[in-house]
Amino acid sequence: MVSSLSMTTLAAAASRNGAVSAARTMSVRAMSSVPTVPNFINGKFTESSTSKWIDVTNPATGEVIAKVPETTQEEMQEAAIGAAEAFKEWRKVSVSNRVRVMLDYQRLIRENMDDLAQTVTREQGKTLPDARGDVFRGLEVVEHSCAMGTLMMGETLGGVATDLDQYSYREPLGVIAGITPMNFAAMIGLWIIPTALTSGNTCIIKPSEKTPLTAIKLAELAQKAGVPDGALQMIHGAHDAVNFICDDPRIHAVSFVGSNRAGEYIYDRATKTGKRAQCNLGAKNHGTILPDADKEMALDALAGAGLGAAGQRCMALSVNIFVGEAQEWIPELVERAKKYKVGPGHEAGSDIGPVIDAAAKERIEHLITTAEEEGATILLDGRNHTVEGYEGGSYVGPTIISDVKPHHTCYKEEIFGPVICVMKADTLDEAIAITNANPYGNGCSIFTQSGAAARKYQHEIDVGQVGINAPIPVPLPMFSFTGSRASIRGDLNFYGKAGVHFMTKLKTVTSSWPQSSMRWGAVMPTMDK
């Protein structure tokens, strides 16, 4: 079963579209053994009329579990028109009533946590405990959006001149589009949907074509929570859908998380049409380990942060710099990594699930091979890993590569797999220099018991998110996700206050209610009285 939603929703979608052409009917029947993923347009889960479908596979088995449409231009137009029309009324709903919808949304997500996590695991591959974390970190953003009445507050200054006041307040932009990645099927969508809706915008989401099932469930829950028809739309596809979002004049802002190549393209294309754009891109996160660190804590943290979620996190701690005597701990890191069990995410005891698909597995293994060819040392080799009973799955075992240099391909590329690159430095200054020389600036961490060393590190490191004895320093939603340098395009970050600012605009009012007659002339007002 794809999900509790899919069978009933898909059947209903097929029924609603009973008047389709004979050719389309044949196409649907040919796929009858594999469920199709509906669009969600104007409050209805509807079967696409497209002839182009993309396989959605279970990474643990390689089995095709659904087919997702390349939504047609006409359907995408319908979604954009519907979102623009819905905005006219949704923006008028009081912030208190929009918050009440989000309060119901967070309750429904909490009640359906296990079902959502199981869907994430089935289509993305991560272990069930990690999938629950995926949903929960998104849920926290929904909860934080319930403070929108405070987050959208403006500023007032009375008496800037005689009988003259000025005040500013935030207004919603309009239609916000989100293009979400495969590695966090729940969390990233929930970075966008609640902030956009609660601030008075409407929203179009294009989930990854590799993991659309969780997104459709989130749409169903949003509808149950009271999000009005048209305020949340969901379309599917690949390049054509991305281009539509970048180009359509009814869309005012684009929020994207994914690779550098895609993000740079989206940022350039969207901003050329006058849209706001925020694009979280790739990463190469460095951990610096000093000899005075708590060894057991640090090694556990490094293994989990580098190998967990099969390394498919933009905040994976994929480079470990061991400083001075801490280099003696490298063999112990290898021993910890060897204990991690690779297996399907739905099975208890699995520590590392599969990577997303066979192409990702091939790419990761190629990058490990380049490390070997370029002079690095493979201390633990996860290539050609198979899991008994799941031979069709896309598994890569935990891998530790030592003696990595900045010119190595495995260092320059974001591997996005369960691979840790180990580097060595003589001093903290050298470790900071290595980290700062890397173009990415998403996250980094230091492990030490020295307050002076930690303070030096946090002030001299040129990375947007810093952990001190914390391996994955992703901010909670009262702050914002603040990756920097090559890890982001745009100047306003995701969620938190920065996310609200991205999705709203300031309006400033100058108000004059004079107590006596007042005359304005041709001279520039100076407001000096």
Side-chain angles (χ1 to χ4, degrees), residues 6-330:
S6 59
M7 299 310 294
T8 55
T9 299
L10 298 176
S15 175
R16 280 193 296 268
N17 289 273
V20 296
S21 67
R24 181 181 165 205
T25 303
M26 291 176 62
S27 173
V28 172
R29 286 175 181 167
M31 298 183 295
S32 60
S33 61
V34 178
T36 55
V37 181
N39 294 315
F40 181 59
I41 298 176
N42 296 329
K44 295 183 174 62
F45 294 94
T46 56
E47 180 86 32
S48 175
S49 64
T50 188
S51 60
K52 299 177 181 178
W53 298 82
I54 302 167
D55 289 345
V56 179
T57 60
N58 181 339
T61 62
E63 168 198 10
V64 176
I65 55 174
K67 288 185 177 290
V68 65
E70 292 198 32
T71 302
T72 67
Q73 289 290 323
E74 293 77 15
E75 291 161 350
M76 291 189 286
Q77 289 280 354
E78 183 183 359
I81 292 168
E85 286 299 311
F87 173 67
K88 296 175 183 178
E89 296 304 318
W90 180 241
R91 66 175 301 179
K92 298 176 186 176
V93 175
S94 71
V95 65
S96 297
N97 281 323
R98 296 197 300 258
V99 164
R100 290 185 182 101
V101 173
M102 283 303 113
L103 286 168
D104 281 343
Y105 195 32
Q106 66 83 26
R107 174 183 56 80
L108 288 166
I109 291 171
R110 195 179 294 277
E111 291 173 355
N112 289 272
M113 179 81 70
D114 286 344
D115 184 48
L116 287 164
Q118 289 167 10
T119 305
V120 171
T121 293
R122 189 157 188 255
E123 66 177 346
Q124 200 277 336
K126 62 180 63 175
T127 65
L128 272 173
D130 202 37
R132 291 189 187 97
D134 184 336
V135 179
F136 186 80
R137 291 306 297 263
L139 172 63
E140 289 180 314
V141 180
V142 183
E143 292 170 337
H144 187 250
S145 75
C146 295
M148 194 59 68
T150 299
L151 293 170
M152 286 187 71
M153 276 186 176
E155 298 175 311
T156 299
L157 182 59
V160 295
T162 303
D163 297 329
L164 196 71
D165 305 319
Q166 287 186 325
Y167 50 94
S168 65
Y169 57 92
R170 292 198 165 272
E171 293 186 328
L173 281 182
V175 180
I176 309 293
I179 302 171
T180 63
M182 61 81 185
N183 58 320
F184 283 97
M187 184 181 76
I188 305 299
L190 292 175
W191 280 9
I192 301 165
I193 294 169
T195 305
L197 292 177
T198 318
S199 59
N201 298 284
T202 54
C203 190
I204 300 174
I205 296 291
K206 191 211 83 69
S208 169
E209 63 275 18
K210 296 181 180 182
T211 55
L213 304 178
T214 305
I216 284 292
K217 286 198 157 200
L218 291 172
E220 182 190 38
L221 296 179
Q223 186 178 50
K224 287 181 178 179
V227 173
D229 292 353
L232 174 62
Q233 313 272 19
M234 200 161 287
I235 60 175
H236 302 286
H239 301 93
D240 289 348
V242 167
N243 288 339
F244 176 85
I245 285 171
C246 292
D247 296 345
D248 190 272
R250 287 168 286 254
I251 295 171
H252 297 83
V254 180
S255 187
F256 167 83
V257 176
S259 70
N260 274 63
R261 183 178 178 183
E264 288 166 1
Y265 172 84
I266 289 167
Y267 184 81
D268 289 344
R269 185 158 181 157
T271 54
K272 282 178 181 175
T273 63
K275 294 176 174 60
R276 290 188 185 182
Q278 56 175 189
C279 298
N280 266 12
L281 310 178
K284 201 73 175 180
N285 307 308
H286 293 57
T288 293
I289 306 93
L290 299 189
D292 70 342
D294 179 331
K295 183 175 74 170
E296 300 304 315
M297 179 275 290
L299 292 174
D300 285 344
L302 295 171
L307 305 173
Q312 296 177 124
R313 295 174 178 146
C314 65
M315 287 292 283
L317 207 57
S318 57
V319 180
N320 296 171
I321 307 173
F322 287 85
V323 178
E325 295 175 2
Q327 295 167 22
E328 298 172 5
W329 305 350
I330 295 171

